[in-house]
Amino acid sequence: MSGNIALLGADDPSPIVTKNPEGSSSFLLIGDHAGNRIPSVLGDMGLEPGERTRHIAWDIGVARLGELLSTALDAVFVQQVYSRLVIDCNRDPDAADAMPAVSDGTPVPANAALDETRRAARIAAIHTPYQTAIGAEIARRRAKGRPTILIALHSFTPVMRGYARPWQVGILYDDGDPTFAQALLTALRDEGDLTVGDNEPYRMDLIDYTIPRHAYPDRLPYAEIEVRQDLIDDEAGCRDWCDRLVRVLGAASIAMG
């Protein structure tokens, strides 16, 4: 195929779902990997059904957790609904692992030999609209004089490459203004019943894309929250963690003054 490629057909949903768009909270919730849909033109990407529902395909639990938090906090939640195997919206779109040929040991046949035209189609259809939607929401709030605390919701697999991860939750931060993230880290530790990761199970670094793009330049307060997937893989777990996160986000806000 050559020329422009239409990645999304008439029956494919928009890549972006915004919950509670009129929410009044200063928190802006985002979900880079909230969904695991695959555009119909890509079929099953050469993957078995089980591979399309495990952690390599999306952040398990984040869509439901974000919906609950959006309601509980009266916060806007901007989520991206396509699989991170189609394109990872928390990566620079030009990075090799934005469309990985192998993920956690699993080959992704549809990504094995992508040419620039096919890569550009995924960027234009999914990555760019998602990042544009976040930027537009921040700009809208700024124009109204409303503060924004950017909260990226992610989840992580309990075991990775044979290593059982001990944390129930981690807070990721790096450059820009990490003050809110550090206050949130303290609030989670103060809960007393958690093993909390400080930039674990991943460091926020130059690999990350969304928070650095939208929070760092204007020094917006932010935090990236990683919740272990076995704790939010059902309704009860999502509700428990919603309650907890509402509590600690409030405590961090108070600590910030």
Side-chain angles (χ1 to χ4, degrees):
M1 300 174 68
S2 61
N4 294 329
I5 297 174
L7 181 73
L8 302 181
D11 294 332
D12 290 316
S14 167
I16 304 141
V17 173
T18 301
K19 299 290 185 181
N20 195 16
E22 300 303 321
S24 63
S25 172
S26 60
F27 293 114
L28 172 56
L29 310 174
I30 59 173
D32 297 332
H33 310 134
N36 65 345
R37 289 181 176 271
I38 297 174
S40 56
V41 72
L42 298 181
D44 58 14
M45 299 187 72
L47 296 165
E48 296 296 324
E51 300 292 346
R52 303 196 300 270
T53 57
R54 75 185 188 99
H55 77 95
I56 64 171
W58 61 332
D59 280 350
I60 294 166
V62 159
R64 182 58 179 151
L65 178 61
E67 290 172 357
L68 292 168
L69 281 169
S70 177
T71 298
L73 295 168
D74 192 25
V76 178
F77 176 36
V78 180
Q79 58 182 309
Q80 198 287 110
V81 305
Y82 285 96
S83 174
R84 65 194 301 173
L85 297 177
V86 178
I87 186 165
D88 189 330
C89 285
N90 195 31
R91 295 291 182 270
D92 186 309
D94 293 328
D97 63 348
M99 300 165 223
V102 178
S103 183
D104 191 22
T106 296
V108 185
N111 294 351
L114 283 174
D115 59 29
E116 287 307 309
T117 300
R118 290 177 173 83
R119 291 183 67 90
R122 297 190 192 186
I123 294 166
I126 298 172
H127 195 287
T128 298
Y130 173 65
Q131 298 295 339
T132 298
I134 296 169
E137 175 60 22
I138 292 171
R140 183 183 73 85
R141 296 153 77 98
R142 184 181 294 118
K144 292 185 175 183
R146 288 183 52 191
T148 295
I149 303 173
L150 189 59
I151 303 294
L153 299 174
H154 291 259
S155 67
F156 64 95
T157 183
V159 179
M160 188 72 168
R161 300 185 182 94
Y163 172 60
R165 289 155 151 182
W167 313 281
Q168 288 91 10
V169 63
I171 300 299
L172 279 56
Y173 58 93
D174 185 32
D175 208 345
D177 181 0
T179 311
F180 183 82
Q182 292 164 342
L184 185 58
L185 184 66
T186 297
L188 281 163
R189 287 172 169 163
D190 287 346
E191 292 277 286
D193 61 343
L194 296 172
T195 301
V196 183
D198 182 346
N199 268 319
E200 297 285 1
Y202 313 103
R203 287 200 62 81
M204 179 174 284
D205 54 25
L206 294 177
I207 293 173
D208 291 271
Y209 186 81
T210 308
I211 288 285
R213 171 174 174 157
H214 296 287
Y216 290 5
D218 294 327
R219 298 187 66 80
L220 289 180
Y222 71 89
E224 187 164 316
I225 302 174
E226 291 267 3
V227 183
R228 206 173 67 203
Q229 288 168 356
D230 60 318
L231 302 177
I232 55 171
D233 62 0
D234 61 17
E235 183 70 12
C238 285
R239 289 188 177 277
D240 286 346
W241 272 89
C242 174
D243 291 344
R244 190 188 289 268
L245 290 176
V246 167
R247 184 166 64 244
V248 297
L249 287 165
S253 295
I254 292 170
M256 290 280 292

